[in-house]
Amino acid sequence: MPVISAEMPDTPESNYDRLTIAEATAIQKDLRSKLSLIPLEKPVRTIAGADISLSLYSQTVYAGIVILSYPKLQVVAYSLVKGNTNFPYVPGYLAFREIPSILKAFEQMPVKPDLIMFDGNGILHKRRMGIASHFGVLTDTVTMGCAKKKLAGLYTEPGETKGQFTAVTDSGETIGFAVRSKNNVKPVFISPGHQMSLQDSLDIAFKCIGKHRLPEPTRKAHEYVNLFRTGALQEGYHEVDEWKLF
DNA sequence: GCGACAG
DNA sequence: ATCTTGTCGC
């Protein structure tokens, strides 16, 4: 029984807006069967952060993907796209609200990043299909998630100092980690999205932590989409001038 | 019925 | 997520 049919169109752009929760759940279960958590196979040279910004009481979404060099973590390019969303925010179904626009930003990039970090979860999800995993399977790319709040599972609070972490489990299975990215701040929740292991997600997350609570990829993505929404940056694909990179 | 609940 | 001012801490 195919999940995709004439009644249920096959592209995020055209159909996610009209899905019922039951249909969305069916899609997540189907995508889960295609999920892969094999260890990273290729070296990471660029890592991107993906996020969207919204105006209060507006259905317009400002999506963006910011590519940073790795491991230096300097912004080298970014793709910004203005889109629309009608699918409401429902915990567990964030992908259906944000992916259509982020996908446009992704398709607009002439060169894709080696890995994309999402502002949300990967397998740290009831059905192991958070936005990072969803996007990864959909586009066959390497992804991981970094959420600011816990969505599912159980965990014990990690030590208060930077670098401490604990596992987030669901029925005894580890589905992610609660990572203290800075002293005395709430932990961030890390999990693999697609084509990488739990250990990989933890390793990458640590190498992306700078002076702030949020890892650089998602922190920059959040910053750029906000600048886009407020008019400081324009829609389109942009590359940072070489001279700004040293 | 009550608590949980990414953005 | 977004709307907002001051304020506490490193």
Side-chain angles (χ1 to χ4, degrees), chain A residues 16-217:
Chain A
Y16 279 6
D17 283 350
R18 302 181 182 182
L19 293 177
T20 61
I21 293 299
E23 292 171 328
T25 301
I27 289 177
Q28 292 183 328
K29 290 181 176 176
D30 178 58
L31 290 173
R32 181 178 181 177
S33 68
K34 302 180 177 62
L35 184 68
S36 170
L37 298 179
I38 57 172
L40 281 172
E41 301 183 315
K42 300 175 183 177
V44 177
R45 294 203 169 72
T46 59
I47 181 168
D51 193 14
I52 67 168
S53 182
L54 309 157
S55 289
L56 200 53
Y57 307 127
S58 172
Q59 70 297 333
T60 301
V61 301
Y62 298 80
I65 296 179
V66 180
I67 302 178
L68 331 213
S69 57
Y70 184 92
K72 286 191 170 303
L73 305 177
Q74 288 192 306
V75 176
V76 297
Y78 53 97
S79 177
L80 304 172
V81 168
K82 189 157 70 172
N84 217 42
T85 304
N86 292 306
F87 196 94
Y89 167 65
V90 180
Y93 300 86
L94 178 66
F96 297 92
R97 178 174 172 73
E98 304 196 349
I99 279 186
S101 298
I102 293 178
L103 198 51
K104 288 182 183 176
F106 181 70
E107 296 170 335
Q108 177 177 259
M109 303 192 300
V111 180
K112 314 306 186 193
D114 294 329
L115 187 167
I116 303 177
M117 182 184 286
F118 284 77
D119 189 350
N121 299 292
I123 65 170
L124 205 169
H125 180 281
K126 187 176 182 181
R127 288 172 293 285
R128 310 292 182 268
M129 198 43 67
I131 186 169
S133 296
H134 190 132
F135 187 94
V137 173
L138 208 59
T139 62
D140 192 38
T141 56
V142 183
T143 63
M144 64 179 281
C146 175
K148 297 182 291 297
K149 296 177 182 176
K150 192 202 72 169
L151 169 66
L154 302 172
Y155 77 102
T156 56
E157 200 67 22
E160 288 297 325
T161 60
K162 176 179 180 178
Q164 299 276 64
F165 70 92
T166 56
V168 176
T169 64
D170 184 22
S171 299
E173 173 191 4
T174 294
I175 57 177
F177 306 94
V179 177
R180 194 78 67 184
S181 53
K182 192 179 174 186
N183 290 171
N184 307 309
V185 297
K186 305 209 64 172
V188 289
F189 297 85
I190 303 298
S191 64
H194 187 50
Q195 293 178 5
M196 67 185 287
S197 67
L198 275 159
Q199 185 62 52
D200 286 332
S201 69
L202 190 58
D203 294 341
I204 296 290
F206 272 122
K207 301 197 75 169
C208 288
I209 296 174
K211 298 180 178 180
H212 308 271
R213 179 191 176 218
L214 296 183
E216 289 303 298

Side-chain angles (χ1 to χ4, degrees), chain A residues 216-243:
Chain A
E216 289 303 298
T218 46
R219 193 176 76 83
K220 282 295 176 185
H222 193 267
E223 177 187 340
Y224 278 53
V225 292
N226 271 313
L227 288 172
F228 176 32
R229 177 173 61 81
T230 57
L233 290 179
Q234 304 309 307
E235 180 167 43
Y237 174 75
H238 312 271
E239 288 188 345
V240 174
D241 298 326
E242 288 181 49
W243 60 267

